[in-house]
Amino acid sequence: MSSLKSLSLDYNELNVLPDWLGGLTTLTSLDVSGNALLGLPENLGLAGLGESLLTLTAASNALLSLPFSFSRLSNLTELDLSDNKLGPLPPPVVWQLPKLNLLAMASNGLQRLDHEVGRLRLLKWLDVSDNQLEALPLQALLSSMQLEVLKISGNVLEVPDDLPLMACWPRPEAAALSGQGEAGMGSSQKLR
């Protein structure tokens, strides 16, 4: 298995991932979706895997947090953590992944999106839909001028009637604001 590039362990009812994953130094894509994982192994970001892994899909588990070593996945470009239990705040190690261009954290019980999201300068696609977000750090999101798709539907955002900052958005048509509900369409200043 020394030349393995892609590994799919999805929907296997796994409670933990095997330690040998950290030794797969040529692995570029890992899918562990649909299991019963509460966490990811500490060695996932260590050894050679930290440099080779480009795509990690860990959706539909029961993840509560991410290990500190996760920040060593320095070449990770796509990360799907949707449908887990990471809320109320995203794990801080996510903001230390400089090459991320796709980040999916839908359905995690998130209540706040940290201003640190602006550190992800290459981010093109962000999905934080179906959480409990009340506000967005628009200045931080705007600082990521690569952002093309922003999915924020299904939250409790209070969207101002006039969104002056959204006029500065490179592609405002890509922002999915639907599903905010009547209470979320007032003239509040929560998007800041």
Side-chain angles (χ1 to χ4, degrees):
M1 290 202 307
S2 62
S3 62
L4 189 65
K5 297 283 185 200
S6 181
L7 178 61
S8 183
L9 296 172
D10 58 322
Y11 298 95
N12 276 299
E13 300 179 15
L14 297 174
N15 293 323
V16 295
L17 292 177
D19 286 336
W20 51 260
L21 276 179
L24 298 177
T25 59
T26 59
L27 197 66
T28 59
S29 178
L30 176 61
D31 186 349
V32 294
S33 298
N35 286 295
L37 301 173
L38 295 175
L40 296 174
E42 185 66 38
N43 71 347
L44 192 64
L46 302 175
L49 186 58
E51 295 175 12
S52 66
L53 197 63
L54 302 175
T55 302
L56 175 60
T57 306
S60 301
N61 279 289
L63 296 177
L64 300 169
S65 64
L66 297 175
F68 177 74
S69 67
F70 201 80
S71 63
R72 294 189 183 166
L73 295 173
S74 58
N75 289 316
L76 201 65
T77 60
E78 297 183 9
L79 177 60
D80 186 351
L81 298 170
S82 298
D83 197 22
N84 279 290
K85 300 174 192 265
L86 296 173
L89 288 170
V93 295
V94 169
W95 314 132
Q96 298 173 24
L97 300 170
K99 294 186 180 177
L100 271 186
N101 61 50
L102 182 148
L103 176 58
M105 292 189 295
S107 301
N108 265 294
L110 300 177
Q111 295 173 3
R112 200 174 96 219
L113 192 58
D114 201 314
H115 283 82
E116 295 290 311
V117 69
R119 294 178 66 187
L120 302 177
R121 299 281 183 199
L122 301 177
L123 195 63
K124 292 182 179 183
W125 198 92
L126 176 61
D127 184 357
V128 288
S129 59
D130 299 319
N131 281 293
Q132 288 119 30
L133 296 174
E134 295 179 5
L136 285 178
L138 275 183
Q139 292 289 359
L141 289 172
L142 283 171
S143 71
S144 178
M145 295 308 284
Q146 299 286 327
L147 198 61
E148 296 174 2
V149 176
L150 174 62
K151 294 187 173 198
I152 55 175
S153 60
N155 282 288
V156 292
L157 295 170
E158 295 185 26
V159 181
D161 291 332
D162 58 336
L163 286 172
L165 288 175
M166 288 299 276
C168 301
W169 205 277
R171 293 176 179 87
E173 69 278 2
L177 298 169
S178 63
Q180 300 309 315
E182 290 179 34
M185 296 307 288
S187 60
S188 171
Q189 296 299 317
K190 290 270 185 144
L191 287 176
R192 56 178 181 269

